[in-house]
Amino acid sequence: MNAAPVPREVHAELKGVTRIYPAVPGAGAKLPVHALGPIDLDLVRGEFFAVVGPSGCGKSTFLEVLAGLQKPTAGSVSFEGKPVGGHVPEGIGVVFQEDASFPWLTVWHNVAFGLRRNGVAAAEVRRRVEDAIAFMGLKDFAGAYPSQLSGGMRQRVCIARTLVLQPRLILLDEPFGALDAQTRLLMGDEVLRLWRRTGATVLLITHALDEAAMLADRIGAMSARPGRFIEIIATGWPRDRDSTIVGEAAFGEITGRLWERLRSESLKALGHSGVSAMAAE
Amino acid sequence: MTATRRAADTLILLVGLVVLWEILHRIAGETAMPAPLSTFAYLVHNLATPRFIANLTTTGLELGYALLLAYGIGLAVGVWLGAHRLSGAVGEPILVSLYSLPKITLYPVVLLIFGLGISGKVAFGALHGVLPVALLTTGAIRAIPPVYLRAARTLQLSPWQTITTVLLPAALPEVFTGLRIGFTVTLLGVLLGEMFASKEGLGAMIINALQLAQGEEMMTVAIVLFAFAALANGLLLFVEHRLRRI
């Protein structure tokens, strides 16, 4: 199962990226926390990359550093050849784990939000918003408020809100973590559809091995804290795929291999929470 | 549909209150509790008199100034304590304990500082209102989900845009709850102020009527205040519900 030969163009690059949270004696953090790295990673333009790892391993920190929401303690991040740091560059879109839809705006205005604040012409706003709303299957809910929608629907609103800005790199931070398993499979299909249509590079953070195995071209397995990539697995799926690949033999092989690598890390992470004070030298 | 149902609910409540009033009148007797009917007759005859209007104006003016102070100071303190972690950690418990104090015990001090005129009552009203406004504003700002800030940054908003288009609308419903409760207790403070050491205002009218055993006048003032407070509260509640999208 070889993927079609695509010209490899580095879209985002992380070099020796490390994140250490300093000690805050007053706020319960007596020791500095080494959350991440060092990490070296090249994201290839147009690929679907998934990051899996045990809880608390620094996956979200990784995403925030890549997005420019946090500065790395050491190392450098670049996006399309330009260094990232301090602010989120134009061209990167982020969908968060928490519901970030604004309850005081209708679905339509939520989706239009980012465009309006960035001085896009009204006709263009309309066109793009209607397109994104239709694409995410929110057409019948354009006038509804988020409080009237289910969690999955609200997450779609957030995806649509990111989509209208036409990001070239889309970062998804466990966007389906709060949804049930079946809805997650279906949302996975939608993400694949979105990835194919936009041609954007997608980075998905998830704790679900099957989700990573089903969606990604490459999967980075992250160690327990401090998060590092212990293995990067290429899945070799064709670009035109959907959730039905969960029935294929290769799918089982990939999840099996991921679990083999991550089992000991997950155990470490479990122990970490209880005895971290003693373990920290 | 809900509007008519709400109107019907209000009507039932009003009828219930009048019936309760009539029952109380029969039990307590004429001097303590005049009959609803004679009170309404008194109200119709006396509401438009210069004496009543002068007192109404005084109370209205005091309430207006007191609200201005309570809202202005309360919002400023609330935003400060909500946005600055250390100030909040120090200031909030102080405000909470002040809120639980019976402020009437401080009225002599207020009178000694501000005198017997209008300013004393304004200060006493504002003293009541400022605390809930500040406390609920602090809470409103703290309750803004942090993910909104991260979303604002990924949506390329400037700091000013973040404040006006994300933080403000996110905090507004709860801030409005503070303004509504602040209104009620400011009115309470102003009326309490008028009841002691004052010759003007609706509060003074009540005490005066009490001393002269004029039950109808007492109840007339009470009805006017009741109607005003209920109306204002209903209006603020309406705005609040619109903000909360209920």
mmCIF file of all heavy atoms in Angstrom, chain A residues 140-173:
data_model
loop_
_atom_site.group_PDB
_atom_site.id
_atom_site.type_symbol
_atom_site.label_atom_id
_atom_site.label_comp_id
_atom_site.label_asym_id
_atom_site.label_seq_id
_atom_site.Cartn_x
_atom_site.Cartn_y
_atom_site.Cartn_z
ATOM 1 N N ASP A 140 -29.740 24.297 7.987
ATOM 2 C CA ASP A 140 -31.027 24.493 8.650
ATOM 3 C C ASP A 140 -30.904 25.174 10.005
ATOM 4 O O ASP A 140 -31.887 25.488 10.645
ATOM 5 C CB ASP A 140 -31.720 23.136 8.842
ATOM 6 C CG ASP A 140 -32.037 22.481 7.513
ATOM 7 O OD1 ASP A 140 -32.120 23.223 6.503
ATOM 8 O OD2 ASP A 140 -32.180 21.249 7.467
ATOM 9 N N PHE A 141 -29.657 25.377 10.450
ATOM 10 C CA PHE A 141 -29.459 25.931 11.796
ATOM 11 C C PHE A 141 -28.789 27.291 11.763
ATOM 12 O O PHE A 141 -28.349 27.786 12.783
ATOM 13 C CB PHE A 141 -28.619 24.972 12.639
ATOM 14 C CG PHE A 141 -29.184 23.580 12.688
ATOM 15 C CD1 PHE A 141 -28.715 22.588 11.851
ATOM 16 C CD2 PHE A 141 -30.228 23.292 13.549
ATOM 17 C CE1 PHE A 141 -29.251 21.317 11.874
ATOM 18 C CE2 PHE A 141 -30.778 22.026 13.581
ATOM 19 C CZ PHE A 141 -30.292 21.029 12.744
ATOM 20 N N ALA A 142 -28.709 27.890 10.573
ATOM 21 C CA ALA A 142 -27.966 29.153 10.425
ATOM 22 C C ALA A 142 -28.471 30.230 11.387
ATOM 23 O O ALA A 142 -27.693 31.032 11.887
ATOM 24 C CB ALA A 142 -28.046 29.644 8.989
ATOM 25 N N GLY A 143 -29.781 30.213 11.670
ATOM 26 C CA GLY A 143 -30.338 31.248 12.530
ATOM 27 C C GLY A 143 -30.415 30.843 13.991
ATOM 28 O O GLY A 143 -30.870 31.616 14.828
ATOM 29 N N ALA A 144 -29.966 29.619 14.308
ATOM 30 C CA ALA A 144 -30.074 29.130 15.682
ATOM 31 C C ALA A 144 -28.918 29.633 16.534
ATOM 32 O O ALA A 144 -27.859 30.006 16.010
ATOM 33 C CB ALA A 144 -30.092 27.607 15.685
ATOM 34 N N TYR A 145 -29.122 29.640 17.843
ATOM 35 C CA TYR A 145 -28.041 29.960 18.769
ATOM 36 C C TYR A 145 -27.392 28.653 19.243
ATOM 37 O O TYR A 145 -28.069 27.619 19.301
ATOM 38 C CB TYR A 145 -28.573 30.750 19.963
ATOM 39 C CG TYR A 145 -28.894 32.177 19.603
ATOM 40 C CD1 TYR A 145 -30.184 32.563 19.273
ATOM 41 C CD2 TYR A 145 -27.882 33.132 19.550
ATOM 42 C CE1 TYR A 145 -30.468 33.873 18.909
ATOM 43 C CE2 TYR A 145 -28.158 34.432 19.191
ATOM 44 C CZ TYR A 145 -29.456 34.801 18.865
ATOM 45 O OH TYR A 145 -29.704 36.089 18.504
ATOM 46 N N PRO A 146 -26.103 28.704 19.605
ATOM 47 C CA PRO A 146 -25.418 27.472 20.021
ATOM 48 C C PRO A 146 -26.144 26.710 21.127
ATOM 49 O O PRO A 146 -26.121 25.482 21.148
ATOM 50 C CB PRO A 146 -24.063 27.984 20.501
ATOM 51 C CG PRO A 146 -23.816 29.195 19.667
ATOM 52 C CD PRO A 146 -25.166 29.846 19.501
ATOM 53 N N SER A 147 -26.811 27.432 22.042
ATOM 54 C CA SER A 147 -27.500 26.750 23.142
ATOM 55 C C SER A 147 -28.597 25.828 22.633
ATOM 56 O O SER A 147 -29.049 24.946 23.353
ATOM 57 C CB SER A 147 -28.086 27.784 24.108
ATOM 58 O OG SER A 147 -28.974 28.638 23.426
ATOM 59 N N GLN A 148 -29.034 26.048 21.389
ATOM 60 C CA GLN A 148 -30.091 25.202 20.834
ATOM 61 C C GLN A 148 -29.520 23.984 20.109
ATOM 62 O O GLN A 148 -30.272 23.186 19.570
ATOM 63 C CB GLN A 148 -30.941 26.029 19.856
ATOM 64 C CG GLN A 148 -31.655 27.193 20.517
ATOM 65 C CD GLN A 148 -32.187 28.169 19.495
ATOM 66 O OE1 GLN A 148 -31.459 28.943 18.895
ATOM 67 N NE2 GLN A 148 -33.492 28.129 19.273
ATOM 68 N N LEU A 149 -28.173 23.878 20.065
ATOM 69 C CA LEU A 149 -27.541 22.806 19.291
ATOM 70 C C LEU A 149 -26.874 21.782 20.208
ATOM 71 O O LEU A 149 -26.547 22.071 21.356
ATOM 72 C CB LEU A 149 -26.476 23.395 18.361
ATOM 73 C CG LEU A 149 -26.914 24.475 17.372
ATOM 74 C CD1 LEU A 149 -25.723 24.951 16.568
ATOM 75 C CD2 LEU A 149 -28.006 23.960 16.451
ATOM 76 N N SER A 150 -26.647 20.585 19.651
ATOM 77 C CA SER A 150 -25.921 19.548 20.387
ATOM 78 C C SER A 150 -24.429 19.857 20.378
ATOM 79 O O SER A 150 -23.965 20.723 19.632
ATOM 80 C CB SER A 150 -26.160 18.204 19.727
ATOM 81 O OG SER A 150 -25.526 18.186 18.454
ATOM 82 N N GLY A 151 -23.672 19.143 21.203
ATOM 83 C CA GLY A 151 -22.227 19.356 21.279
ATOM 84 C C GLY A 151 -21.532 19.152 19.938
ATOM 85 O O GLY A 151 -20.652 19.921 19.564
ATOM 86 N N GLY A 152 -21.952 18.112 19.211
ATOM 87 C CA GLY A 152 -21.352 17.836 17.911
ATOM 88 C C GLY A 152 -21.618 18.965 16.926
ATOM 89 O O GLY A 152 -20.736 19.370 16.167
ATOM 90 N N MET A 153 -22.834 19.483 16.970
ATOM 91 C CA MET A 153 -23.201 20.587 16.091
ATOM 92 C C MET A 153 -22.384 21.835 16.405
ATOM 93 O O MET A 153 -21.933 22.543 15.510
ATOM 94 C CB MET A 153 -24.691 20.904 16.261
ATOM 95 C CG MET A 153 -25.584 19.925 15.568
ATOM 96 S SD MET A 153 -25.330 19.978 13.791
ATOM 97 C CE MET A 153 -26.968 19.680 13.235
ATOM 98 N N ARG A 154 -22.191 22.094 17.693
ATOM 99 C CA ARG A 154 -21.419 23.283 18.089
ATOM 100 C C ARG A 154 -19.982 23.176 17.615
ATOM 101 O O ARG A 154 -19.381 24.154 17.198
ATOM 102 C CB ARG A 154 -21.442 23.438 19.598
ATOM 103 C CG ARG A 154 -22.703 24.108 20.079
ATOM 104 C CD ARG A 154 -22.638 24.337 21.562
ATOM 105 N NE ARG A 154 -23.783 23.705 22.198
ATOM 106 C CZ ARG A 154 -23.936 23.599 23.500
ATOM 107 N NH1 ARG A 154 -23.007 24.044 24.308
ATOM 108 N NH2 ARG A 154 -24.989 23.033 23.995
ATOM 109 N N GLN A 155 -19.451 21.930 17.682
ATOM 110 C CA GLN A 155 -18.077 21.740 17.229
ATOM 111 C C GLN A 155 -18.007 21.972 15.707
ATOM 112 O O GLN A 155 -17.024 22.506 15.208
ATOM 113 C CB GLN A 155 -17.614 20.334 17.623
ATOM 114 C CG GLN A 155 -16.122 20.158 17.785
ATOM 115 C CD GLN A 155 -15.448 21.184 18.679
ATOM 116 O OE1 GLN A 155 -15.223 22.317 18.297
ATOM 117 N NE2 GLN A 155 -15.109 20.778 19.884
ATOM 118 N N ARG A 156 -19.075 21.615 14.995
ATOM 119 C CA ARG A 156 -19.121 21.900 13.564
ATOM 120 C C ARG A 156 -19.116 23.392 13.313
ATOM 121 O O ARG A 156 -18.510 23.865 12.340
ATOM 122 C CB ARG A 156 -20.414 21.361 12.955
ATOM 123 C CG ARG A 156 -20.384 19.908 12.651
ATOM 124 C CD ARG A 156 -21.776 19.537 12.253
ATOM 125 N NE ARG A 156 -21.988 18.143 12.489
ATOM 126 C CZ ARG A 156 -22.529 17.339 11.594
ATOM 127 N NH1 ARG A 156 -22.937 17.824 10.450
ATOM 128 N NH2 ARG A 156 -22.675 16.077 11.858
ATOM 129 N N VAL A 157 -19.833 24.138 14.167
ATOM 130 C CA VAL A 157 -19.848 25.598 14.031
ATOM 131 C C VAL A 157 -18.418 26.127 14.158
ATOM 132 O O VAL A 157 -17.975 26.965 13.369
ATOM 133 C CB VAL A 157 -20.759 26.242 15.102
ATOM 134 C CG1 VAL A 157 -20.644 27.758 15.075
ATOM 135 C CG2 VAL A 157 -22.201 25.813 14.896
ATOM 136 N N CYS A 158 -17.687 25.589 15.130
ATOM 137 C CA CYS A 158 -16.302 26.043 15.345
ATOM 138 C C CYS A 158 -15.424 25.688 14.143
ATOM 139 O O CYS A 158 -14.557 26.470 13.747
ATOM 140 C CB CYS A 158 -15.729 25.428 16.618
ATOM 141 S SG CYS A 158 -16.558 26.012 18.088
ATOM 142 N N ILE A 159 -15.659 24.501 13.573
ATOM 143 C CA ILE A 159 -14.876 24.113 12.392
ATOM 144 C C ILE A 159 -15.213 25.054 11.231
ATOM 145 O O ILE A 159 -14.321 25.553 10.542
ATOM 146 C CB ILE A 159 -15.152 22.639 12.014
ATOM 147 C CG1 ILE A 159 -14.653 21.711 13.137
ATOM 148 C CG2 ILE A 159 -14.452 22.285 10.705
ATOM 149 C CD1 ILE A 159 -15.002 20.252 12.941
ATOM 150 N N ALA A 160 -16.513 25.329 11.052
ATOM 151 C CA ALA A 160 -16.919 26.232 9.966
ATOM 152 C C ALA A 160 -16.326 27.618 10.159
ATOM 153 O O ALA A 160 -15.899 28.271 9.211
ATOM 154 C CB ALA A 160 -18.449 26.312 9.903
ATOM 155 N N ARG A 161 -16.266 28.074 11.423
ATOM 156 C CA ARG A 161 -15.722 29.397 11.718
ATOM 157 C C ARG A 161 -14.245 29.480 11.336
ATOM 158 O O ARG A 161 -13.753 30.514 10.921
ATOM 159 C CB ARG A 161 -15.904 29.693 13.213
ATOM 160 C CG ARG A 161 -15.523 31.103 13.601
ATOM 161 C CD ARG A 161 -15.960 31.404 14.997
ATOM 162 N NE ARG A 161 -15.164 30.695 15.991
ATOM 163 C CZ ARG A 161 -15.440 30.677 17.287
ATOM 164 N NH1 ARG A 161 -16.496 31.303 17.736
ATOM 165 N NH2 ARG A 161 -14.677 30.023 18.117
ATOM 166 N N THR A 162 -13.533 28.352 11.515
ATOM 167 C CA THR A 162 -12.123 28.307 11.128
ATOM 168 C C THR A 162 -12.009 28.202 9.608
ATOM 169 O O THR A 162 -11.165 28.848 8.991
ATOM 170 C CB THR A 162 -11.466 27.080 11.779
ATOM 171 O OG1 THR A 162 -11.678 27.169 13.174
ATOM 172 C CG2 THR A 162 -9.989 27.027 11.492
ATOM 173 N N LEU A 163 -12.907 27.411 9.018
ATOM 174 C CA LEU A 163 -12.866 27.119 7.585
ATOM 175 C C LEU A 163 -13.013 28.378 6.723
ATOM 176 O O LEU A 163 -12.337 28.510 5.705
ATOM 177 C CB LEU A 163 -14.013 26.148 7.279
ATOM 178 C CG LEU A 163 -13.883 25.228 6.097
ATOM 179 C CD1 LEU A 163 -12.639 24.380 6.256
ATOM 180 C CD2 LEU A 163 -15.115 24.332 6.026
ATOM 181 N N VAL A 164 -13.886 29.292 7.127
ATOM 182 C CA VAL A 164 -14.134 30.486 6.307
ATOM 183 C C VAL A 164 -12.890 31.354 6.154
ATOM 184 O O VAL A 164 -12.778 32.135 5.226
ATOM 185 C CB VAL A 164 -15.270 31.383 6.857
ATOM 186 C CG1 VAL A 164 -16.607 30.710 6.695
ATOM 187 C CG2 VAL A 164 -15.016 31.784 8.285
ATOM 188 N N LEU A 165 -11.965 31.210 7.085
ATOM 189 C CA LEU A 165 -10.728 32.010 6.996
ATOM 190 C C LEU A 165 -9.738 31.369 6.015
ATOM 191 O O LEU A 165 -8.655 31.891 5.800
ATOM 192 C CB LEU A 165 -10.092 32.159 8.375
ATOM 193 C CG LEU A 165 -10.909 32.970 9.381
ATOM 194 C CD1 LEU A 165 -10.337 32.855 10.774
ATOM 195 C CD2 LEU A 165 -10.966 34.430 8.971
ATOM 196 N N GLN A 166 -10.140 30.256 5.415
ATOM 197 C CA GLN A 166 -9.337 29.529 4.428
ATOM 198 C C GLN A 166 -7.916 29.259 4.912
ATOM 199 O O GLN A 166 -6.946 29.675 4.290
ATOM 200 C CB GLN A 166 -9.321 30.311 3.110
ATOM 201 C CG GLN A 166 -10.735 30.493 2.565
ATOM 202 C CD GLN A 166 -10.795 31.324 1.302
ATOM 203 O OE1 GLN A 166 -9.910 32.122 1.040
ATOM 204 N NE2 GLN A 166 -11.846 31.135 0.537
ATOM 205 N N PRO A 167 -7.819 28.548 6.056
ATOM 206 C CA PRO A 167 -6.490 28.249 6.587
ATOM 207 C C PRO A 167 -5.773 27.232 5.712
ATOM 208 O O PRO A 167 -6.413 26.394 5.081
ATOM 209 C CB PRO A 167 -6.783 27.668 7.969
ATOM 210 C CG PRO A 167 -8.148 27.079 7.843
ATOM 211 C CD PRO A 167 -8.891 27.953 6.881
ATOM 212 N N ARG A 168 -4.452 27.342 5.670
ATOM 213 C CA ARG A 168 -3.664 26.376 4.895
ATOM 214 C C ARG A 168 -3.115 25.289 5.817
ATOM 215 O O ARG A 168 -2.671 24.246 5.372
ATOM 216 C CB ARG A 168 -2.540 27.114 4.166
ATOM 217 C CG ARG A 168 -3.091 28.162 3.189
ATOM 218 C CD ARG A 168 -1.998 28.907 2.484
ATOM 219 N NE ARG A 168 -1.200 29.732 3.370
ATOM 220 C CZ ARG A 168 -1.561 30.919 3.860
ATOM 221 N NH1 ARG A 168 -2.747 31.416 3.542
ATOM 222 N NH2 ARG A 168 -0.776 31.603 4.647
ATOM 223 N N LEU A 169 -3.132 25.575 7.118
ATOM 224 C CA LEU A 169 -2.783 24.563 8.116
ATOM 225 C C LEU A 169 -3.887 24.561 9.173
ATOM 226 O O LEU A 169 -4.143 25.581 9.804
ATOM 227 C CB LEU A 169 -1.419 24.889 8.762
ATOM 228 C CG LEU A 169 -1.005 24.028 9.966
ATOM 229 C CD1 LEU A 169 -0.926 22.554 9.613
ATOM 230 C CD2 LEU A 169 0.329 24.510 10.516
ATOM 231 N N ILE A 170 -4.560 23.428 9.307
ATOM 232 C CA ILE A 170 -5.671 23.337 10.265
ATOM 233 C C ILE A 170 -5.228 22.467 11.434
ATOM 234 O O ILE A 170 -4.814 21.323 11.247
ATOM 235 C CB ILE A 170 -6.931 22.742 9.603
ATOM 236 C CG1 ILE A 170 -7.355 23.596 8.404
ATOM 237 C CG2 ILE A 170 -8.076 22.650 10.613
ATOM 238 C CD1 ILE A 170 -8.491 23.002 7.590
ATOM 239 N N LEU A 171 -5.300 23.020 12.644
ATOM 240 C CA LEU A 171 -4.914 22.280 13.843
ATOM 241 C C LEU A 171 -6.170 21.922 14.617
ATOM 242 O O LEU A 171 -6.973 22.789 14.942
ATOM 243 C CB LEU A 171 -3.991 23.138 14.716
ATOM 244 C CG LEU A 171 -2.773 23.757 14.026
ATOM 245 C CD1 LEU A 171 -1.977 24.597 15.018
ATOM 246 C CD2 LEU A 171 -1.887 22.683 13.421
ATOM 247 N N LEU A 172 -6.338 20.642 14.894
ATOM 248 C CA LEU A 172 -7.528 20.185 15.605
ATOM 249 C C LEU A 172 -7.090 19.571 16.927
ATOM 250 O O LEU A 172 -6.392 18.559 16.947
ATOM 251 C CB LEU A 172 -8.268 19.130 14.757
ATOM 252 C CG LEU A 172 -8.652 19.542 13.328
ATOM 253 C CD1 LEU A 172 -9.010 18.318 12.494
ATOM 254 C CD2 LEU A 172 -9.815 20.511 13.351
ATOM 255 N N ASP A 173 -7.496 20.186 18.037
ATOM 256 C CA ASP A 173 -7.083 19.720 19.360
ATOM 257 C C ASP A 173 -8.185 18.862 19.972
ATOM 258 O O ASP A 173 -9.082 19.386 20.630
ATOM 259 C CB ASP A 173 -6.764 20.918 20.264
ATOM 260 C CG ASP A 173 -6.167 20.478 21.591
ATOM 261 O OD1 ASP A 173 -5.920 19.267 21.764
ATOM 262 O OD2 ASP A 173 -5.946 21.348 22.449
#
